[in-house]
Amino acid sequence: MRAFRLVAVLFCAACSPVFGLPLRASVLRAPSCRCCAPSTGELTASGGRSRRSLLREQRRVVRELSDELAQLEVRGPQAVEFAEELFTYGVRSAADLSAVPSRVLDAVGIVGQERTRLLAFSRLAAMERAAPVLRSASSAVDAAVASSGIADDDDEPAEGVRQESFIIEQVQDGVRVDAALSALLPPLSRTYFGSIAVDGLVQLNGETVKKSARVAVGDQLSVRLRPERELTLVAEAIPLSPLYEDADCIVIDKQPGLVVHPAPGHWNGTLVNGLLFRMRVQQAAAAGVAPTTTDLLPDVSGTGLRPGIVHRLDKQTSGALVAAKTARAQRALLAAFAERRVWKVYLAVCVGDPGARSAVDVAVGRDPTDRLRMAVRSEEEGGRSALSVVHRLATDGRISLVAVLIRTGRTHQIRVHLEHLGHPLLGDEVYGDQNWNRLEIKAASRPLLHARALRFAHPVTGQVVHVVAPCPADIRAYATRLSGVAPGEVDAWVTERIDTLLAPTLVGFKY
């Protein structure tokens, strides 16, 4: 076997037929071997890439291929070994495996159930390639550029770059350049404008500045917006845990750390990518072939970035999240959330004892000094009404487990309201108590917030759907510590406590 592998490494597609290895050029794009490849000097002289550049490209492809294999449950070291071997045979993607001859897979060592699983994925991926690709018309940056409406002038930026200019007002006084721009040009992120500034595309009063520069009232802030690469929404094999699913909607128990939908800085690896994969597999299984349309999930917003999404959870928040599978369902669910016809309860671990019941009815808006934060703001200051009712479930006087019923769904609402109440969320680096966060860092490595239960009218049948997301391990540990209930009995205990305390809120609730 070793001799066979060595031959495959030393001889390219032009030579391989001599050794009985007829390669399909459309799939197996083997690099030229030493017998056919030009020298490094020839590559450089002819405008080609240097040997170092080619090696760098090879490492990149092998790394991406090994990552694909790892996502398909091939163990780390084995995934790297397979990727290196497959690369020598011209394989560049796991989707190419279905066209690889059996003797090549034998030589690489892909056999048994592992081969069956990888080939099944490869065939599905090949069918996806044949179907139209899900794309947005452009990225968020492209949309901002397209809508800028800037007239041509003598100082027109280079192709693909457009300029925006602003006069700084009081609300941005003293703010960093990257934060000011992200506030002035939503939904573009602070990270994006930081990279723009590094490239010298941001000017303050006519002078190029760093992202950390501060703006003042009356300053002229200009930025040249650089379109990002076109965003492609791809189906990714991301593990999802459905709590409820039918032909119209699905409720996922979102794990902490998972971003809900693509956005600047998170173009893939999101819950949306996982939903697309799930829908692709379901439709392929039902029809026997991959779907031939891109309508896997509805996107009535028209952005192309949030198919199926009707509400969101923060990246580190776990728990129940609803998504729509049809346009009719998405429109109905969006209306239900907007009209406050969804009953939502969260579990949280907070510092101190907030009392048996506390209602927080204060408006929430963007923090004027830090655009990444939200804050208590009056409606005159741009705040939006927000109501949270906090019910204590268990406490030791120092830390409490609470259930929070929210009537509105403002960004960071519970986190801001608990901070305002004087009992911040444990593990919250933005709104929390840093001393407590340090003390509890081993047990509270994230903001301890969990979307526990949802009740809503089914978007088609109208029947009330009630879903409960089990307590994640970190919150279960605190519940056990604070209540004395055994870990295996925590979920039943929490459900009983919430049902008892919140039963009056269900009387007359309009779904």
Side-chain angles (χ1 to χ4, degrees), residues 294-310:
T294 59
D295 189 25
L296 290 174
L297 288 170
D299 188 7
V300 298
S301 70
T303 65
L305 300 180
R306 304 178 185 180
I309 298 303
V310 296

Side-chain angles (χ1 to χ4, degrees), residues 123-437:
R123 284 190 289 270
L124 177 60
M127 289 190 291
E128 289 179 351
R129 284 181 172 181
V133 178
L134 278 169
R135 296 181 183 274
S136 66
S138 60
S139 70
V141 179
D142 297 314
V145 171
S147 62
S148 61
I150 302 171
D152 293 342
D153 57 29
D154 293 335
D155 189 30
E156 184 180 10
E159 181 69 18
V161 179
R162 296 296 179 91
Q163 183 166 310
E164 289 274 15
S165 295
F166 304 92
I167 301 299
I168 298 301
E169 299 179 354
Q170 182 65 43
V171 70
Q172 282 96 30
D173 186 39
V175 174
R176 283 171 49 124
V177 160
D178 52 356
L181 287 171
S182 65
L184 291 165
L185 288 171
L188 307 184
S189 71
R190 187 171 177 173
T191 301
Y192 168 76
F193 286 114
S195 69
I196 288 291
V198 169
D199 290 342
L201 299 178
V202 177
Q203 291 189 333
L204 189 61
N205 299 323
E207 294 184 2
T208 301
V209 293
K210 296 180 179 180
K211 64 181 181 180
S212 58
R214 302 278 175 173
V215 299
V217 175
D219 283 349
Q220 183 178 33
L221 181 60
S222 302
V223 58
R224 293 188 174 188
L225 297 174
R226 178 188 60 215
E228 295 282 4
R229 61 175 176 80
E230 184 181 49
L231 176 64
T232 300
L233 290 181
V234 296
E236 298 181 64
I238 297 171
L240 299 177
S241 301
L243 300 169
Y244 172 90
E245 184 174 14
D246 60 25
D248 301 294
C249 61
I250 181 172
V251 183
I252 297 294
D253 185 4
K254 187 184 90 65
Q255 60 265 42
L258 182 63
V259 175
V260 172
H261 62 75
H266 299 283
W267 294 122
N268 46 42
T270 71
L271 183 140
V272 161
N273 298 105
L275 280 176
L276 290 173
F277 184 87
R278 184 180 183 85
M279 292 294 292
R280 182 77 80 183
V281 170
Q282 286 179 352
Q283 293 187 23
V289 295
T292 57
T293 72
T294 59
D295 189 25
L296 290 174
L297 288 170
D299 188 7
V300 298
S301 70
T303 65
L305 300 180
R306 304 178 185 180
I309 298 303
V310 296
H311 70 125
R312 291 178 291 177
L313 296 176
D314 290 342
K315 177 181 178 180
Q316 295 300 342
T317 299
S318 56
L321 183 138
V322 188
K325 297 169 72 172
T326 67
R328 176 185 177 184
Q330 190 176 28
R331 283 190 290 268
L333 289 169
L334 284 169
F337 276 94
E339 296 165 9
R340 304 178 187 177
R341 292 186 284 107
V342 179
W343 191 83
K344 300 168 285 189
V345 174
Y346 288 71
L347 285 179
V349 179
C350 67
V351 174
D353 181 358
R357 181 183 182 277
S358 302
V360 187
D361 186 5
V362 292
V364 173
R366 189 70 60 181
D367 190 313
T369 61
D370 186 347
R371 305 302 291 180
L372 295 181
R373 284 174 49 96
M374 304 299 286
V376 170
R377 304 278 285 166
S378 68
E379 294 188 13
E380 291 75 17
E381 295 172 318
R384 303 175 68 188
S385 62
L387 174 61
S388 305
V389 184
V390 181
H391 295 264
R392 184 185 63 209
L393 301 182
T395 186
D396 63 3
R398 301 165 71 246
I399 294 174
S400 298
L401 175 69
V402 297
V404 186
L405 176 69
I406 61 173
R407 294 301 195 186
T408 51
R410 309 304 182 201
T411 301
H412 298 178
Q413 175 177 324
I414 294 175
R415 298 164 67 187
V416 172
H417 277 180
L418 286 175
E419 179 193 35
H420 178 73
L421 198 60
H423 299 282
L425 195 65
L426 191 61
D428 193 334
E429 292 295 327
V430 179
Y431 304 99
D433 183 304
Q434 301 310 315
N435 291 326
W436 273 103
N437 289 346

Side-chain angles (χ1 to χ4, degrees), residues 444-458:
S445 59
R446 66 169 179 113
L448 294 181
L449 185 61
H450 177 69
R452 170 67 177 184
L454 289 174
R455 294 176 189 259
F456 59 94
H458 189 278

